[in-house]
Amino acid sequence: MSLVQLESVRTRLLQHPIYQEITTPERVKVFMKHHVFAVWDFMSLLKRLQKSVTSVDVPWFPYEKPLFSRLINEIVVAEESDIDGRGGYSSHFSLYLEAMEECGAEAEMFHSFLNPLKQGKDYSSILSENNQIPESVRQFVEFNLNLAMNGELYEVAAAFFYGREGLIPEMFRPLVDSLMETGASSERLVFYLNRHIEVDEEHHGPLAEKLLLELCEKDPEKLERANDIGGKCLEARSKLWDGVLAEIREKNL
């Protein structure tokens, strides 16, 4: 996939109707019920990168490219232990769960996936056997976890940049605007979204892009494959949003 094609897929995602449809508290709850999976599996992509470009074993030995370690460790600090807006610290995932509780969003579907995963069950089996999980969520999570566990490192970096850190500010900003205009917002959710816009736009996005380019080493084949992965990430996100809208319409919210 060329950069022009990738940008076209990205533009279509940023024009998805979901940003104009999350206009009531009930619709926010549906959105969060689906989106929490993306908040969670983001950390698997991040941890694969951290595991691969830093040294976390004992005895410790320095990783051969400290630039890579610096780039990814800066991102990990905020994602795992950012300010929580209340004088303390929290992971972004925990912030999101707090926002779900504040909104009254259903977390049962997510925990029906996470709990057996904690007990050692294979993620693919859980996704295929759990009838609560919509197909759009299943495809999204399976794609990202498979990539995090089995993809080449530059492919993981491509998903991390194109599908997450380089996308989120533009993707979340219209959502925040809609929430504020319609009064469907909650304090924790808006804090979470605004915090991501701030740190990704000013810091994490550029760091993730630099890491991706370094890992591709100006190799045309790697760069093209990175674009392909980026396009697939954006298409999976669009389908995830389709699933949110389908439930909103099914329930006539």
Side-chain angles (χ1 to χ4, degrees):
M1 180 180 290
S2 68
L3 279 174
V4 173
Q5 291 171 316
L6 178 60
E7 188 60 33
S8 177
V9 176
R10 189 176 187 273
T11 298
R12 288 199 301 273
L13 172 59
L14 293 175
Q15 294 172 346
H16 197 284
I18 195 171
Y19 306 113
Q20 284 72 49
E21 295 292 332
I22 306 302
T23 55
T24 69
E26 291 306 312
R27 291 181 175 190
V28 169
K29 292 176 186 179
V30 173
F31 170 81
M32 298 187 79
K33 184 174 77 168
H34 291 242
H35 182 236
V36 65
F37 285 87
V39 177
W40 174 80
D41 73 12
F42 165 88
M43 289 303 298
S44 291
L45 294 170
L46 176 57
K47 285 300 176 178
R48 164 65 194 284
L49 291 171
Q50 185 186 31
K51 182 179 179 180
S52 300
V53 303
T54 67
S55 179
V56 294
D57 294 324
V58 177
W60 177 87
F61 301 99
Y63 183 70
E64 60 188 20
K65 295 185 177 180
L67 172 63
F68 293 4
S69 302
R70 174 74 181 193
L71 294 175
I72 208 65
N73 277 335
E74 285 195 41
I75 296 175
V76 169
V77 167
E79 295 295 342
E80 275 196 316
S81 54
D82 199 10
I83 58 172
D84 66 359
R86 294 173 172 170
Y89 299 93
S90 174
S91 70
H92 287 172
F93 173 67
S94 294
L95 279 176
Y96 201 82
L97 291 181
E98 285 182 22
M100 291 185 74
E101 184 175 359
E102 182 181 66
C103 291
E106 176 198 320
E108 178 185 345
M109 182 174 79
F110 174 71
H111 288 298
S112 73
F113 165 74
L114 196 64
N115 289 338
L117 191 66
K118 287 179 179 178
Q119 295 166 8
K121 190 168 183 178
D122 176 68
Y123 72 89
S124 187
S125 297
I126 302 169
L127 290 169
S128 63
E129 296 169 8
N130 190 326
N131 294 328
Q132 294 186 61
I133 300 175
E135 182 65 13
S136 54
V137 171
R138 186 194 67 77
Q139 290 182 5
F140 186 90
V141 175
E142 191 147 35
F143 173 79
N144 284 290
L145 286 188
N146 182 58
L147 188 64
M149 296 174 72
N150 304 308
E152 296 290 335
L153 189 58
Y154 76 91
E155 294 176 329
V156 180
F160 192 70
F161 173 64
Y162 289 122
R164 307 295 174 121
E165 301 293 58
L167 172 71
I168 282 174
E170 287 182 83
M171 185 172 65
F172 280 0
R173 192 170 284 111
L175 188 57
V176 170
D177 291 343
S178 178
L179 289 170
M180 298 302 290
E181 288 171 9
T182 60
S185 61
S186 76
E187 185 273 330
R188 289 281 83 189
L189 177 58
V190 171
F191 177 81
Y192 168 88
L193 295 171
N194 278 328
R195 186 63 182 154
H196 263 284
I197 291 169
E198 178 184 353
V199 298
D200 291 350
E201 188 168 56
E202 297 179 2
H203 198 48
H204 292 182
L207 289 177
E209 183 178 24
K210 184 173 180 61
L211 179 63
L212 170 61
L213 293 176
E214 290 283 346
L215 288 169
C216 285
E217 303 173 309
K218 298 183 180 179
D219 183 327
E221 290 187 5
K222 287 184 178 180
L223 289 168
E224 183 177 358
R225 176 60 178 161
N227 292 344
D228 290 341
I229 292 292
K232 289 178 180 178
C233 288
L234 298 174
E235 289 165 354
R237 174 76 68 164
S238 186
K239 290 179 181 177
L240 184 69
W241 290 167
D242 289 344
V244 176
L245 290 184
E247 181 169 342
I248 287 172
R249 289 164 182 164
E250 179 185 343
K251 292 182 176 179
N252 197 28
L253 296 176

